[in-house]
Amino acid sequence: MASDDELAELLARALDAVETLAVARTGRVSAGSPGRAARRVAETDLSRARTPRHAISELTRLLTESGVRTNHRRHFGWMNPSPHPAAAVADLLVSFANPQLATRALSPGPVEVERRLVSELAARMGLGERAGGSFTGGGSEANATALVCALVRGVPGFAEGGLAGAKPPVVYLSEEGHDSVEKLARAHGLGRRHVRWLPTDARRLSVPALARAIDEDRAADRAPTLVVSTAGTTNFGAIDPLAEVAALCAEQKIWHHVDAAWGGMAALSPRTRPLLAGVDLADSVSLDPHKGLGAPLGTGVFLVRDAAVLEEAFDVQNDYGPGSSAPDPFARSLAWSRRFVGARLWLPLLQEGWPGLAARVERMFALTAPLRHAVERAGFTLLGPEATLPVVCFRDPDRADDAQGAIARFVEQSGEAWIARTRVDGRPALRACVCSHDTDPSDVEALGALLARARRES
């Protein structure tokens, strides 16, 4: 066990490292290579002890000198924002206290914090007074929770007998939806064949196509069970017609889940909330604070209109857990042992309040049009409809498909920014997305200038 002096030394060195790890306008966005990183890790001597100074220095170097700095303000690739400083500090405090949120009896304060945050997020989605939910390790866990809830409510006897003897359940989503849904369906015994990827209209789920697919499956003696709408698709930031899908699901008695892992942040601001019109009609919603609200990775939220379904799905009895008078978190979610994930949102809220976080969301949304204009001025062809979220897919019109990647390599090797590769309609494309609350118009303009240079020089 560390002595007081050793602990003080560790904390002092950690604080020294924070400045190195924090986002800065200068500095390379990406560095090193997978091969170099693998060699460094393989060559690390784990048979000898190190001083706190040297140990923290080695870990800091690993974090900054290998891989993409997703916390950089000019990282325009994956949807991982720069962590809010208060959220990162909250994670440090939680790690030292190490509360167990399986039951209220063990951690009444943290459990109440997460309960209140879930309640307030559900209210912003308009899910009603009976809503509930839980913090999760990310959108995949939240979507898995939705699938279990849909099976409990849609497959007679599922909680006791599973899928034995049941008609094959079917899950529906658009071809622009997230592939985590297919992984989850396979993991829960549905199989790839029972996930229907449906066509889109302007990159949004086609409601007529959904209606036809449901009719086809009922005629084939299958059981339409879950429709997953997307609020903020990865490539185009598209938001499915939530109200229309909800109306069809209500008519057909099918669970409607909205995967708002990215676009759900719009609910925080009255200015952007109209983009989610119809989300209040959903049976459940998933949200990733680590995509748009500045939480560190591994922060998700599952929200459900009728919280009673959670106990139907997850309640179990045991003799060894400390009980409480109210339903415990372990009996209302997939997880048992639970980290205090909600602290990553609670501390920033204590510091800035909901209006402060809403202002951060508004600044990100305000960069949607400037991002498109910067890429277009650099000479690229924009793909897809105009996005509602700050993302754009594009191609160099003067290059063949197999040469599009040279643009991304030039940007990456410059160290000045980072963009992602993707595919649109089966063809290679490039993608840029505003990921950080720290990104401002000057960063977007800098990306445009870099892309123009990439066209000329790569």
Side-chain angles (χ1 to χ4, degrees):
M1 184 174 180
S3 67
D4 289 346
D5 288 344
E6 289 172 326
L7 178 58
E9 175 73 3
L10 274 170
L11 289 175
R13 299 309 167 197
L15 289 174
D16 290 342
V18 165
E19 186 174 356
T20 302
L21 294 171
V23 176
R25 184 179 297 277
T26 58
R28 294 181 62 85
V29 182
S30 59
S33 65
R36 179 184 175 189
R39 288 192 298 273
R40 168 169 285 174
V41 172
E43 293 167 0
T44 300
D45 183 0
L46 297 179
S47 66
R48 65 181 182 86
R50 293 166 177 79
T51 64
R53 177 195 296 271
H54 286 93
I56 289 179
S57 176
E58 192 161 327
L59 177 57
T60 303
R61 190 163 55 249
L62 178 72
L63 292 170
T64 57
E65 295 181 6
S66 63
V68 179
R69 292 182 61 190
T70 57
N71 64 339
H72 197 289
R73 62 191 302 149
R74 291 186 181 172
H75 167 250
F76 292 94
W78 298 101
M79 299 163 184
N80 304 135
S82 308
H84 192 295
V89 170
D91 231 15
L92 177 64
L93 298 177
V94 167
S95 294
F96 274 105
N98 205 28
Q100 166 61 279
L101 271 67
T103 73
R104 293 172 186 267
L106 286 173
S107 301
V111 167
E112 283 303 315
V113 164
E114 292 201 348
R115 184 202 61 77
R116 179 173 175 185
L117 290 173
V118 163
S119 177
E120 296 209 14
L121 288 169
R124 280 164 173 74
M125 294 291 177
L127 294 181
E129 295 182 356
R130 298 173 59 189
S134 64
F135 276 80
T136 69
S140 289
E141 184 184 336
N143 289 343
T145 306
L147 176 57
V148 176
C149 290
L151 290 169
V152 165
R153 286 289 171 90
V155 178
F158 176 78
E160 293 296 327
L163 297 175
K167 295 180 180 180
V170 185
V171 177
Y172 308 85
L173 72 164
S174 88
E175 59 191 2
E176 298 291 342
H178 201 276
D179 60 8
S180 65
V181 175
E182 181 177 309
K183 291 175 64 175
L184 296 170
R186 289 156 59 186
H188 286 81
L190 274 65
R192 182 183 289 114
R193 287 186 302 170
H194 297 112
V195 177
R196 297 285 300 268
W197 297 89
L198 301 175
T200 59
D201 179 9
R203 306 295 176 178
R204 304 162 76 228
L205 175 62
S206 167
V207 177
L210 173 61
R212 287 193 298 271
I214 291 171
D215 289 343
E216 291 168 2
D217 285 318
R218 290 203 192 281
D221 207 30
R222 293 185 285 265
T225 302
L226 172 65
V227 174
V228 180
S229 294
T230 307
T233 59
T234 302
N235 268 349
F236 298 104
I239 297 177
D240 287 338
L242 305 181
E244 295 175 51
V245 176
L248 178 61
C249 288
E251 176 189 323
Q252 295 283 346
K253 295 182 172 53
I254 302 172
W255 189 278
H256 179 213
H257 175 67
V258 177
D259 181 352
W262 185 29
M265 61 180 171
L268 266 67
S269 168
R271 296 182 182 179
T272 55
R273 176 61 177 76
L275 296 172
L276 298 176
V279 72
D280 56 308
L281 303 174
D283 293 298
S284 57
V285 180
S286 58
L287 171 68
D288 272 0
H290 69 223
K291 282 190 171 69
L293 301 182
L297 278 171
T299 310
V301 179
F302 174 74
L303 305 171
V304 64
R305 170 180 301 283
D306 179 8
V309 71
L310 296 174
E311 289 177 60
E312 296 175 41
F314 302 112
D315 190 18
V316 290
Q317 302 298 319
N318 65 78
D319 296 325
Y320 46 81
S324 65
S325 58
D328 281 323
F330 82 85
R332 297 167 66 88
S333 65
L334 278 167
W336 193 289
S337 295
R338 306 180 62 87
R339 181 178 175 84
F340 185 14
V341 175
R344 299 169 178 175
L345 188 55
W346 184 249
L347 190 57
L349 272 171
L350 291 177
Q351 182 177 331
E352 298 189 23
W354 286 113
L357 293 191
R360 287 173 174 262
V361 170
E362 290 168 5
R363 287 197 296 272
M364 291 180 73
F365 275 72
L367 294 174
T368 301
L371 177 64
R372 291 179 63 86
H373 295 158
V375 172
E376 195 168 30
R377 284 196 303 271
F380 291 87
T381 299
L382 305 185
L383 306 175
E386 187 166 345
T388 52
L389 295 170
V391 63
V392 62
C393 289
F394 54 97
R395 289 195 188 98
D396 184 339
D398 298 327
R399 293 172 187 257
D401 282 357
D402 60 1
Q404 298 291 327
I407 298 290
R409 286 192 296 274
F410 183 93
V411 172
E412 180 177 349
Q413 291 168 6
S414 75
E416 298 175 32
W418 200 84
I419 60 174
R421 298 169 175 85
T422 188
R423 297 184 72 84
V424 174
D425 298 329
R427 297 176 57 195
L430 304 167
R431 176 181 168 280
C433 171
V434 175
C435 307
S436 173
H437 295 150
D438 296 319
T439 302
D440 63 25
S442 70
D443 297 308
V444 172
E445 288 301 315
L447 174 64
L450 180 59
L451 288 171
R453 203 168 85 223
R455 288 196 74 212
R456 296 191 305 267
E457 300 177 16
S458 67

